[in-house]
């Protein structure tokens, strides 16, 4: 996802003073998960975000139509509502969950948040308006980034979300999506958090792809930092979200073979941020995953591959399952 805008102001990488002790803790949690990438270490990054990479140059806040190359690639505000409220979905409700099967995740509720919306570019004024994210005001949403060939992040996130939903439902989980291509735009970042809260989700995950510079490669998982201000209070979810993030990151490495980000997280693939409404307003364990960098040719080749996206969904599913089975 491109993190210039709403919930994605670019964080500035820095080393955490807790890195050494956390390295030992993570090594015990995900033994061998990083394959050839060494010991997995948790790190507290400067900012946090509703999907935030180091460089959000690929994000667009205004209505720019997707590139014509998109088809060739593989693979709220009206005068009657308060200025800070999110728009209602086109269907009048968030994407409904489907009947859960019997399995190890029976009784568990997972909310999947596919970042952005393929139609956001048609609603510039709506997605650019500000909503309250607890600590401050940010834009409702962004269009997201895209590959250099024009394939949009919003289509990537929906595809992975569908694959992930199928995998989780086969294990008995009840799965809800914040949007399923059934809305004219959004939802806004505050509503995305609210959907997970109202579902009383056991875990929530927001799916994105980054829009950083060429040469910046790999995935990273964004976890909420401690925030207690305004409507935001993450104190109860910081610890479980960190556990969720470590499980997802370890499984993602193992299943996809992708390395953690080489430009954020000090090689751990774990970043903590406190500026993202989707995390700040959550009352349930939640993380964001940036599956790769759409603006890097090597990463883009993976992100536009259906077989790789299935691996990505499997890795996320395995991480969620490990967390929910604890």
């Amino acid at each position: 996802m491109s993190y210039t805008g709403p919930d994605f102001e670019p964080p500035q990488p820095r080393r955490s003073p807790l890195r050494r002790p956390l390295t030992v803790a993570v090594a015990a949690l995900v033994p061998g998960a990083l394959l050839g990438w060494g010991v997995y270490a948790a790190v507290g990054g400067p900012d946090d975000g509703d999907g935030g990479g180091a460089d959000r140059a690929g994000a667009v806040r205004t209505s720019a139509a997707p590139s014509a190359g998109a088809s060739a690639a593989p693979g709220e505000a009206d005068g009657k509502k308060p200025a800070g409220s999110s728009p209602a979905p086109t269907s009048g409700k968030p994407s409904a969950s489907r009947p859960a099967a019997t399995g190890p995740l029976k009784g568990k509720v997972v909310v999947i948040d596919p970042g952005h919306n393929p139609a956001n570019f048609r609603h510039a004024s709506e997605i650019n308006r500000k909503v309250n994210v607890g600590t401050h005001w940010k834009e409702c949403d962004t269009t997201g980034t895209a590959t250099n060939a024009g394939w949009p992040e919003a289509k990537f996130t929906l595809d992975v979300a569908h694959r992930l939903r199928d995998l989780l439902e086969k294990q008995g989980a009840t799965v809800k999506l914040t949007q399923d291509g059934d809305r004219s735009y959004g939802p806004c970042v505050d509503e995305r958090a609210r959907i997970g809260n109202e579902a009383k989700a056991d875990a929530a995950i927001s799916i994105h792809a980054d829009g950083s510079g060429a040469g910046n490669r790999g995935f990273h998982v964004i976890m909420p930092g401690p925030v207690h201000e305004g409507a935001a209070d993450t104190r109860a979810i910081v610890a479980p979200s960190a556990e969720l993030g470590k499980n997802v990151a370890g499984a993602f490495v193992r299943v996809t073979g992708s390395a953690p980000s080489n430009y954020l997280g000090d090689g751990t693939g774990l970043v903590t941020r406190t500026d993202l409404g989707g995390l700040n307003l959550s009352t349930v364990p939640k993380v964001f995953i940036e599956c790769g960098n759409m603006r890097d040719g090597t990463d883009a080749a993976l992100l536009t591959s259906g077989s790789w996206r299935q691996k990505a969904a499997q890795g996320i599913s395995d991480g969620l399952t490990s967390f929910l089975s604890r």
Side-chain angles (χ1 to χ4, degrees):
M1 115 202 281
S2 160
Y3 296 117
T4 301
D7 259 9
F8 314 112
E9 295 301 328
Q12 298 301 315
R14 63 174 173 78
R15 291 180 178 273
S16 167
L18 300 179
R19 184 180 178 191
R20 291 183 178 176
L22 287 176
T23 298
V24 176
V26 176
L29 286 170
V30 285
L34 291 181
L35 300 177
W37 289 294
V39 178
Y40 214 85
V43 64
D47 298 324
D48 103 307
D50 277 23
D55 183 348
R56 286 301 168 184
V60 184
R61 294 189 185 184
T62 57
S63 58
S67 162
S71 60
E76 264 144 17
D78 60 38
K80 301 178 181 180
K81 300 185 70 175
S85 61
S86 292
T90 302
S91 61
K93 60 181 69 177
S95 300
S97 58
R98 301 190 292 193
T102 299
L105 296 185
K106 182 177 176 61
K108 300 296 185 179
V109 177
V110 178
V111 168
I112 303 173
D113 177 29
H116 311 291
N117 183 316
N120 272 356
F121 74 95
R122 297 190 180 97
H123 299 272
S125 62
E126 290 91 343
I127 68 170
N128 285 335
R129 75 178 183 78
K130 301 294 181 68
V131 296
N132 192 326
V133 298
T135 58
H136 54 293
W137 293 73
K138 278 196 171 183
E139 289 86 349
C140 162
D141 202 1
T142 64
T143 59
T145 189
T147 64
N148 292 331
W151 195 55
E153 177 189 0
K155 289 191 175 181
F156 167 82
T157 65
L158 266 178
D159 181 84
V160 175
H162 291 159
R163 295 169 187 268
L164 176 58
R165 177 179 61 191
D166 291 345
L167 290 168
L168 293 171
E169 288 181 339
K170 287 179 181 178
Q171 298 187 76
T174 295
V175 181
K176 297 184 179 183
L177 270 62
T178 59
Q179 60 94 7
D180 195 6
D182 54 353
R183 304 177 61 122
S184 57
Y185 67 92
C188 295
V189 295
D190 58 337
E191 186 182 353
R192 289 175 186 267
R194 188 161 61 248
I195 291 170
N197 298 343
E198 293 178 349
K200 295 180 171 56
D202 296 286
I205 188 161
S206 189
I207 300 171
H208 292 272
D210 208 357
S212 188
N216 290 340
R217 294 196 54 203
F219 77 93
H220 62 278
V221 177
I222 304 171
M223 308 174 296
V227 176
H228 184 212
E229 182 180 345
D233 188 352
T234 63
R235 292 174 296 176
I237 69 164
V238 167
S241 295
E243 182 181 352
L244 172 60
K246 294 167 190 173
N247 277 275
V248 169
F252 199 83
V253 167
R254 186 179 65 252
V255 177
T256 67
S258 294
S261 169
N262 64 6
Y263 59 101
L264 284 173
D266 290 335
T268 69
L270 297 175
V271 176
T272 299
R273 293 182 63 174
T274 58
D275 64 313
L276 301 180
L279 295 179
N280 288 358
L281 298 176
S282 181
T283 59
V284 301
K286 184 175 182 178
V287 298
F288 281 63
I289 181 167
E290 295 280 351
C291 296
N293 177 19
M294 298 195 93
R295 292 306 180 92
D296 175 80
T298 303
D299 270 11
L302 299 176
L303 298 166
T304 55
S305 163
S307 60
W308 187 88
R309 293 196 299 274
Q310 186 62 33
K311 290 180 181 180
Q314 186 68 62
I316 297 170
S317 175
D318 287 359
L320 284 163
T321 299
S322 177
F323 171 76
L324 294 172
S325 300
R326 71 197 192 289

